Amino acid sequence: MAEGTDSDAVLLYLGGPLDGRVEVREARHGAPLPTVTHTHLHDGPKVVHHYDLHPLTDGAGVYHLRVEPVPEPADAESA
């Protein structure tokens, strides 16, 4: 998406808790951010999701859920 654009941007979210959400970012707020962080608070621990912007045209883009690598379990130490 071009910097300093005069038009609003239409942004779609794919994956995670924001899946299917459509946001219209007004031009007065500037270009869409390259990454959006969404923090879900509930009765349990907070859950953080990151969405990365993939521009489609000057006025549209898709935020894809970032897939974090799953950490490998540590080897059990012999006693």
Side-chain angles (χ1 to χ4, degrees), residues 6-32:
D6 302 5
S7 60
D8 297 345
V10 178
L11 305 164
L12 172 66
Y13 289 81
L14 294 178
L18 300 182
D19 188 47
R21 181 176 292 188
V22 176
E23 175 187 343
V24 177
R25 183 175 172 95
E26 296 179 16
R28 66 186 173 93
H29 294 298

Side-chain angles (χ1 to χ4, degrees), residues 36-62:
V36 171
T37 302
H38 175 264
T39 304
H40 181 73
L41 302 173
H42 51 83
D43 291 335
K46 71 178 179 178
V47 179
V48 178
H49 295 91
H50 301 280
Y51 291 85
D52 297 312
L53 179 62
H54 297 267
L56 298 175
T57 66
D58 282 343
V62 177

